[in-house]
Amino acid sequence: MADGILVKDLNAWFGTLQVLRDIGLAIAPKAVTAIIGPSGCGKSTFIRCLNRMHEVVPSARVSGTVLVEGANLYAPGVDPVEVRRKIGMVFQRANPFPTMSAFDNVAAGLRLAGMRNRAVLNDAVERALTHAALWDEVKDRLDKPGSSLSGGQQQKIEELILELRKDLTIVIVTHNMQQAARVSEATGFFLLGELVEFGVTRELFTNPRDKRTEDYITGRFG
């Protein structure tokens, strides 16, 4: 994503309930952007709009523009499946396919795309698990069900984010102000479906322009 992501006039609904209102911001390429705000403010809906996952919810709809490398993801004729292949998402809770092995869980995307070369799959699985700091733990249990692996071990998530940003554009949702300050270059504060403030993380946390931003990051609400 050499040009990053440009969002213009983004609105989103669940049925008649509008959950995002006229969101506009520019997400820098190969950098980390944090989205903060209280529960229910639209953070997760916003990132689901970035890879067209919002629309898979019955009655959900979107209006506006999301440009990735200059191309509008919501233009007529754009295949949302292709969008999701290019723009991945990591959810708050892992949901492995319970009847598939750990290996098959990691390789599922490539196999769905038609890859059958075992050597390529082996290399991709090892590379993915190494980047996730899981390879040493699971390399001898790749044939075990994915749901049997421990999800409670301490993962070096922040180190992984900083490593991945060398090649990827990353947007994270977090309730942890310290985490946002540590890993992100830019931060957006959402409240009641609106983008209240967006800017350089250091400036937003030390000298917010909007009183609502200051009240949130200092713990007065949220």
Side-chain angles (χ1 to χ4, degrees):
M1 298 181 193
D3 298 323
I5 304 171
L6 182 61
V7 179
K8 299 178 180 178
D9 303 320
L10 182 68
N11 296 273
W13 294 263
F14 289 106
T16 59
L17 176 64
Q18 187 168 3
V19 290
L20 291 179
R21 299 178 182 275
D22 299 322
I23 305 299
L25 73 166
I27 297 169
K30 294 186 179 181
V32 180
T33 297
I35 304 298
I36 63 172
S39 297
C41 69
K43 303 185 300 294
S44 296
T45 298
F46 173 71
I47 63 167
R48 288 170 65 90
C49 289
L50 298 183
N51 72 342
R52 296 191 57 170
M53 285 195 66
H54 176 68
E55 65 201 63
V56 305
V57 178
S59 80
R61 62 188 178 93
V62 175
S63 72
T65 302
V66 178
L67 297 175
V68 176
E69 296 180 343
N72 184 10
L73 303 186
Y74 287 92
V78 174
D79 183 354
V81 175
E82 289 300 320
V83 171
R84 295 170 198 141
R85 283 175 175 164
K86 184 173 185 178
I87 305 175
M89 183 174 293
V90 178
F91 295 94
Q92 187 173 6
R93 294 179 179 84
N95 290 286
F97 298 109
T99 61
M100 292 167 52
S101 69
F103 182 97
D104 290 338
N105 265 275
V106 179
L110 284 173
R111 282 184 167 145
L112 283 171
M115 175 56 64
R116 297 292 181 267
N117 186 307
R118 185 71 184 190
V120 172
L121 291 173
N122 287 344
D123 180 66
V125 168
E126 180 175 350
R127 187 169 62 252
L129 290 172
T130 298
H131 284 167
L134 291 173
W135 176 250
D136 288 338
E137 178 178 344
V138 305
K139 63 183 179 183
D140 298 322
R141 295 189 290 150
L142 292 175
D143 59 337
K144 302 295 184 184
S147 57
S148 71
L149 301 179
S150 169
Q153 79 279 4
Q154 178 65 38
Q155 297 184 31
K156 300 178 182 180
I157 297 299
E158 292 184 13
E159 290 182 18
L160 176 60
I161 289 172
L162 296 176
E163 180 68 22
L164 290 175
R165 74 174 175 184
K166 296 176 183 176
D167 301 304
L168 302 174
T169 301
I170 300 175
V171 183
I172 66 168
V173 166
T174 181
H175 288 277
N176 187 319
M177 301 299 100
Q178 291 75 29
Q179 182 180 68
R182 284 193 298 267
V183 304
S184 69
E185 284 86 4
T187 297
F189 170 54
F190 279 61
L191 183 64
L192 299 175
E194 298 181 358
L195 178 61
V196 173
E197 188 166 344
F198 180 74
V200 175
T201 296
R202 181 180 61 259
E203 296 176 0
L204 185 141
F205 277 96
T206 59
N207 189 29
R209 298 186 302 273
D210 193 290
K211 181 65 162 56
R212 293 169 294 176
T213 308
E214 180 181 356
D215 288 347
Y216 178 72
I217 63 179
T218 56
R220 291 192 178 95
F221 72 92

